[in-house]
Structure formats: structure tokens, C-alpha cells
Amino acid sequence: MSAMIGITTFIELDEFTKIRRAYANSVATAGGIPVLLSPIVNETLAEELADRLDGLLLSGGGDINPIHYHEEPHPTLDLVCDTRDQYEFQLAKAFMNRRKPILAICRGAQVLNVVLGGTLIQDVPSQVTTDLPHSQEADRHVATHKIQIDPQSKLAEILDECQIDVNSFHHQSVKDLPGTCQATAYAPDGVVEAFEYQGDQFALAVQWHPEAMTHDEHSLKLFRYFVDKCSCS
Ligand code: MN
């Protein structure tokens, strides 16, 4: 049986549930069954979804309310949605409690970090010295900066590479990680581009958008590994 993988979504105009098609397409291409999860804040629902699904994909999107990591809002804060924050926190916790696999992408990486006790750089362009295009204008499938991957990491094992080119659509990034996680990839300017949970569970977070690059063997490898992990756990 193919693994069933929940994908988080967002609310638009307080009326529609929405998410880029590339997430579900990538899960399906990698052999999984994508299941879009409605943004409903309900802990019992989150627990039941975590019981029934085999893995969780925390998707990209707007900024997390910085109240969750005890900071005041930066002026560039964008697209904050408390419903989305709360429902993704509930799901992330429920999947962590069951040690079921999590792949966290962009905002998803930030959600996983904050839910485990980490903090964020609220605005990379104004808070980090960098010339890199972390908010690129090129198309989503185009790589615009390099990342260096820790050779000892799960990510290096999955990709069989220690340096790859990635796309970049984020104005926020990891500041402090919780003790349970380790940064495993960096951009040349020091921005954290991936981290991994160090316990007995697959929970891997990437700051780039592999779902937009599945023409690229590295992105496909990452989705295949995640779906395989969901199938056998
Ligand atoms: Mn980047």
C-alpha cells in the first residue's frame, strides 16, 4: 500500500483552502498518496489525522506570528494567519508524538523549528549581511544560490552530495534551533537552509522549495526518500 501523506494548506480571502499543486504532484511522483489537510484548528482532528496518515508535509507560505517565539513583530511581517499557525502546530506536535515522518518546506521548516522551541530571523534582508537572492525573482524551478551540506547529515546521505544549487523564496530563516535539532545545510552567507531532528524519527526541514524542482534529481531523491520512510514506518 502506498503511503498517505498529509499536506498542509492555507486560507485565502477567509473563504478558500489553497495550496500550490506542486506539493501534491511531487508526493504522487515519488509514489505517495497526497492528502490535502484543511486548516481547521481542532486538536482531536489533528490527533486522528496523525493516527491515520503515514507522514506530514508542512508546506510553504506566509510568516508565523512571532508571539510564538516571544518576539515583537518586525515591520516586514507578511501574511500572518493565526488559524494556520495553530493547526500546523497541532499537526506537527501530533506527528512528532507518534514519531511519524515529517518533511518541512520553507514556512514548514519555520513551523517545525518554532513548535520544537526554536526562534526565527524575522527578515533576512534587513537582519543578515548578504548579497544572495533569498527572495528570488526568477521562476520557481530556477536555482539561484548554493548550499553546503554537512557530510555527516541525513540530507547528505539522501542526496549523495555535499553541495547543491537551490531555489530561494524566503525572507525569514532559522535563528536558534532547539537542542533536539541540528543545522545540516547553510547558504554561503550563513543562512540555515536545512535542519534535522536528531531523535529516533525522520523530521527534516529545508528552506528551499524542492517541490518546484522535481525535474532536478536531488529534489526527487528527497521526495522519494520521504515517501519511502512514510511507507515503512
Ligand atoms: Mn535561501
Side-chain angles (χ1 to χ4, degrees):
M1 287 230 295
S2 302
M4 296 199 19
I5 296 168
I7 301 171
T8 59
T9 62
F10 65 95
I11 301 163
E12 190 173 81
L13 303 175
D14 202 28
E15 188 172 8
F16 299 98
T17 296
K18 199 170 164 182
I19 193 67
R20 285 180 189 272
R21 294 168 61 208
Y23 295 101
N25 289 346
S26 298
V27 166
T29 300
I33 301 172
V35 181
L36 301 188
L37 305 179
S38 292
I40 299 168
V41 181
N42 180 325
E43 202 170 330
T44 308
L45 183 59
E47 300 279 339
E48 285 209 34
L49 285 167
D51 281 336
R52 296 191 193 185
L53 297 170
D54 301 302
L56 177 67
L57 194 166
L58 291 166
S59 61
D63 297 337
I64 297 166
N65 189 330
I67 196 171
H68 297 297
Y69 49 98
H70 315 296
E71 281 192 16
E72 294 184 28
H74 189 275
T76 61
L77 210 63
D78 194 28
L79 298 171
V80 172
C81 174
D82 289 323
T83 298
R84 185 175 185 185
D85 286 354
Q86 287 172 41
Y87 118 101
E88 288 187 326
F89 289 173
Q90 287 178 340
L91 285 165
K93 283 179 193 163
F95 278 79
M96 289 301 295
N97 287 339
R98 287 160 183 76
R99 300 188 179 187
K100 289 192 173 181
I102 297 176
L103 177 62
I105 295 177
C106 198
R107 169 194 160 88
Q110 296 159 12
V111 167
L112 187 62
N113 181 31
V114 170
V115 91
L116 295 174
T119 62
L120 302 178
I121 295 170
Q122 289 196 46
D123 186 51
V124 170
S126 62
Q127 296 176 322
V128 176
T129 306
T130 180
D131 294 327
L132 292 182
H134 287 291
S135 298
Q136 73 183 53
E137 287 177 14
D139 286 350
R140 296 185 72 79
H141 67 276
V142 177
T144 59
H145 73 70
K146 293 190 183 302
I147 60 166
Q148 287 289 341
I149 304 168
D150 175 356
Q152 306 300 321
S153 65
K154 177 60 73 181
L155 184 61
E157 179 193 320
I158 294 167
L159 302 180
D160 198 24
E161 297 280 357
C162 290
Q163 183 178 289
I164 63 167
D165 298 330
V166 299
N167 56 7
S168 198
F169 298 91
H170 59 108
H171 86 111
Q172 299 199 329
S173 70
V174 164
K175 183 155 68 180
D176 296 310
L177 283 168
T180 49
C181 293
Q182 193 173 332
T184 53
Y186 292 91
D189 55 12
V191 166
V192 174
E193 290 276 342
F195 68 86
E196 300 170 18
Y197 183 70
Q198 296 298 295
D200 178 25
Q201 174 183 358
F202 178 80
L204 191 152
V206 299
Q207 191 57 69
W208 75 96
H209 283 275
E211 84 286 354
M213 302 183 80
T214 43
H215 59 285
D216 167 89
E217 58 165 323
H218 301 124
S219 299
L220 203 49
K221 273 184 187 171
L222 184 53
F223 273 96
R224 289 221 170 99
Y225 186 93
F226 172 53
V227 170
D228 286 351
K229 210 66 186 161
C230 295
S231 307
C232 60
S233 60

